[in-house]
Amino acid sequence: MGVPTTIVVGAGPGGLACAIAAADAGGTVLLLEKAPDVGGALPYSGGHLSAGGFSLQHERGISDDPERHFDDVWRISRGAARADLTRLTLREQPAVLEWLLAAGLIVDPGTPRIVYGHEPYRTPRTVHATTVPGGPAILAVLRPMLDAHRAAGRIDLRCEARVTELLTEGGAVVGVATADGARWRAPAVVLATGGFGYAPELFAELEGAPLTTSAAPTSTGDGLLMGRSVGAGLQGLGCYIPTFGGLPPVDGDLRVDWAHRPHLVAPERPPWEIYVDRAGSRWIAEDEPSIDHKERVLTTVDRMTFWTVFDAHALRESYPMVHGWSAAELDAQCGRRRGVHRASGLAELAGLAGVDPAGLSATVARYNGFVADGRDADFGRTYLPAPIVEPPFYALENHPVTLITFAGLDVDELLRVRRADGTTIPGLYAVGEVIGSAAVNGNAFCSGMCLTPAMAFGRLVGRRLAGTAG
């Protein structure tokens, strides 16, 4: 390969889609990835995809289209997403689904479905693999397409090639430099480097929140920092919101154990437990059906950390409290796994968990009174199955979990990176989480609206750059 038509930095979902689409359209691509292998966030991703008006919906008699999908995103995001970028990706997302399905992606036969782990759509339009996490299944269908183009000489993949600098001439980006001193030139550079959910200092600067993450270890904000170094503006600041609770990390890692996460979605598992803060006080109706509302209230709780408190009766009856653990397995983790506690009395439990003992005892007594009365006078909870009275008592520590980062590089409707004054930086494009998830989610989580837009935008940019080559 001579001078490529495009350099793509990052071989995650957006970068792979961009490189493959460019090669499909006749372009040549230098694909640079700092990790030893491709995939980016895909090995860690739940792999949820969504679109309005694709074949699996048609087969199940589900009437949908991109505009109805837009209406749902706009409702959930409270109009905080960018309308231009949201409509752009939603028009392409049905084609993304058909592309993956044609390439051999096998999805759970129960999908398309409505997902309640995020604020739900009104229409079933989310698909995912049967395996958890589902991202590897998507990577498995992208890899053969990538390999075919590599064999044909249309994509030159270089792994363990960390891009450290954007090369510029006259205000335009003309290439990149890598950590080994190599310099590469091309008419266009596409940043597809992911977010910054594994970069504590950058996360503190841009999101201003405590970081407990499920992001890939490669999500260190490289593209965002490089973009800023050449004058790029940012979008999505002030839109951070956490997902609703995960067990604390162990062994000094930033990442939560996402396979074993507390089951806190009330429409899927009505809660037998109560939620308390460090003072031992309740702060929301635990059976609140809107996960979005729960996430927003969580941002007002001290350090966005809370404990689910329950008794032996609840552990037996409310299964599963934690994904992947039986009641016996949860019990066995007590005192062994950080954040999982058991005690014969509430005061002892509070001491183990780091919660105020007097506050917790008073809160449980008050809650038990509400159960007896059949009415929660504090928060209006209606599901009151049983008092918390049977020892042993349990507490699970829950931290806010960063799935995606909301701030990112500002781009125009063609995914060209813009300066703070709104002018575009010639030769520089960005797709995926590096543009910030707020672009198409606003201050919310919309099902399938991180992974699918990354690939949709990647395909759009790849085709466009291949079509304008020369």
Side-chain angles (χ1 to χ4, degrees), residues 7 163 165-168 172-177 183-189 427:
I7 295 173
V163 176
E165 181 184 358
L166 296 173
L167 304 179
T168 61
V173 171
V174 297
V176 302
R183 297 166 75 87
W184 309 89
R185 296 177 67 92
V189 172

Side-chain angles (χ1 to χ4, degrees), residues 166 168 171 173 191 205-206 221-235 237 407-412 415-426 428-430 434-435:
L166 296 173
T168 61
V173 171
L191 295 175
E205 174 195 344
L206 297 180
D222 302 12
L224 191 151
L225 294 172
M226 285 189 286
R228 289 207 302 189
S229 75
V230 297
L234 300 182
Q235 61 179 346
L237 293 169
L409 298 177
D410 187 28
V411 294
D412 70 3
L415 287 309
R416 299 177 297 190
V417 177
R418 294 194 290 208
R419 301 182 181 91
D421 64 5
T423 60
T424 58
I425 300 174
L428 187 61
Y429 297 77
V434 71
I435 72 171

Side-chain angles (χ1 to χ4, degrees), residues 4-6 21-23 25-28 186-190 414 416 427-429 459-470:
T5 58
T6 306
T28 55
V189 172
V190 181
L414 297 177
R416 299 177 297 190
L428 187 61
Y429 297 77
R459 282 163 50 91
L460 289 167
V461 170
R463 290 198 300 263
R464 181 171 184 272
L465 293 180
T468 59

Side-chain angles (χ1 to χ4, degrees), residues 247-283:
L247 292 173
V250 295
D251 299 327
D253 194 356
L254 291 174
R255 302 190 76 252
V256 296
D257 178 4
W258 199 243
H260 300 107
R261 63 191 186 278
H263 197 333
L264 302 171
V265 182
E268 295 179 349
R269 184 190 68 83
W272 287 62
E273 69 274 23
I274 58 172
Y275 306 163
V276 302
D277 60 17
R278 292 179 190 278
S281 300
R282 292 175 66 220
W283 47 275

Side-chain angles (χ1 to χ4, degrees), residues 178-205:
T178 51
D180 61 1
R183 297 166 75 87
W184 309 89
R185 296 177 67 92
V189 172
V190 181
L191 295 175
T193 51
F196 52 96
Y198 210 83
E201 292 183 3
L202 186 59
F203 189 87
E205 174 195 344

Side-chain angles (χ1 to χ4, degrees), residues 281-317:
S281 300
R282 292 175 66 220
W283 47 275
I284 197 169
E286 294 83 0
D287 62 349
E288 163 60 51
S290 170
I291 198 72
D292 179 76
H293 180 65
K294 282 182 169 179
E295 289 161 349
R296 293 179 191 281
V297 178
L298 179 59
T299 64
T300 69
V301 173
D302 181 27
R303 283 171 271 184
M304 303 187 204
T305 301
F306 67 100
W307 289 258
T308 58
V309 175
F310 50 96
D311 66 359
H313 184 202
L315 181 61
R316 288 195 308 272
E317 298 297 328

Side-chain angles (χ1 to χ4, degrees), residues 73 77 81-82 85-86 89 435-442 446 449-450 453 457:
V73 170
S77 73
R82 277 184 53 179
L85 292 181
T86 303
T89 185
I435 72 171
S437 294
V440 295
N441 285 277
C446 301
M449 287 298 289
C450 187
F457 288 151

